[in-house]
Amino acid sequence: MEERLKELETLALQQVSEAQDLKQLNEVRVAYLGKKGPITEILRGMGQLSAEERPKMGALANVVREAIAGKIEEKQAELEKAAVAAKLASETIDVTLPGRPTPTGSQHPLTKVVEEIEDLFLGMGYTIAEGPEVEKDYYNFEALNLPKDHPARDMQDSFYITDEILLRTHTSPVQARTMEKNEAKGPIKIICPGKVYRRDDDDATHSHQFTQIEGLVIDENISMSDLKGTLEVFAKKMFGDEREIRLRPSFFPFTEPSVEVDVSCAKCGGKGCNVCKQTGWIEILGAGMVHPRVLEMAGYDSKKYQGFAFGMGPERIAMLRYGIDDIRHFYTNDQRFVKQFNRV
Ligand code: PHE
């Protein structure tokens, strides 16, 4: 029995030292020290021994058991330490590695220009008004002094949905709607940014869909000089303090008088170059004094109230600003184009 115990001890200690991980170690523990293990069995068979031998063997069996248990404990601590070290090693973060850049979007140049124009007018006390892109013929034309069959409707080729409904051809219907909605029939000071649609063939300077910003001011004693002063401030803020503006007579059915507004060429300073086609001036918007009929159709007393309105195309302004030569760049979303405005 003594031999058997020694043999078990040697075997067990060897297996303990060979265990690779905690699972294997536990298997060794169960195999040697478990209830069904050989040592328990030996202790159980002690009854058959003589009274002399019993305490000797009992003591030896306990020594062997403790030796094995002690070794297991030691090995367990060692394996646990190794496991922690391995985990730490595998989870090490190399803080010196270069970071992975996250691709971020950038603001579209057109959005930039629209927001800049909005901010400019918000700073002058205007509020922003919006209206539907699918519009009634009434607001798009009739309420703006363009009755059915008016020849000036040809100035804006339209996408009709029904006889009475179309895609708005300009943002001016928002002024008609705002005046009509104003129950007090009192002062108004708004700008209306938005998309508009015209049946044009797309080319470098035309698009069937583009953007406009309309401005409308209604109050008592509003005159052409208020319009000119406002647009001059706008042009200087937008294109530089040295810019001048000039008004040329024009025609819009909803304004009387109507003007076309030019700004002095930023490239040549008015001397004449390829950008301004040697004229020194660049047309940037249409404007005028709100036609009394438009005021009256919206319920205003045109004797008491006057107003001015203007309409501009942010695409054109962005093109002049950044030297963009084709309006289609705004809509095709070529990353090589859009990304150039990240830093602007
Ligand atoms: N709505 C006109 C257009 O699109 C522009 C404009 C607006 C002209 C307001 C005068 C006053 O052509």
Side-chain angles (χ1 to χ4, degrees), residues 156 169-170 172 175 198 212 214 252 254-255 286-288 309-311:
Q156 304 181 357
T169 55
H170 50 177
S172 305
Q175 51 158 295
R198 289 192 197 172
Q212 272 196 345
E214 180 95 1
F252 298 104
F254 29 90
T255 46
F310 55 88

Side-chain angles (χ1 to χ4, degrees), residues 5-6 8 41 80 129 139 145 167 178 268 273 276 306 317:
L5 276 169
K6 290 271 179 217
L8 280 174
E41 215 168 276
E80 277 170 358
Y139 292 112
N145 198 27
L167 297 180
T178 309
C268 62
C273 69
C276 57
Q306 304 80 42
I317 289 172

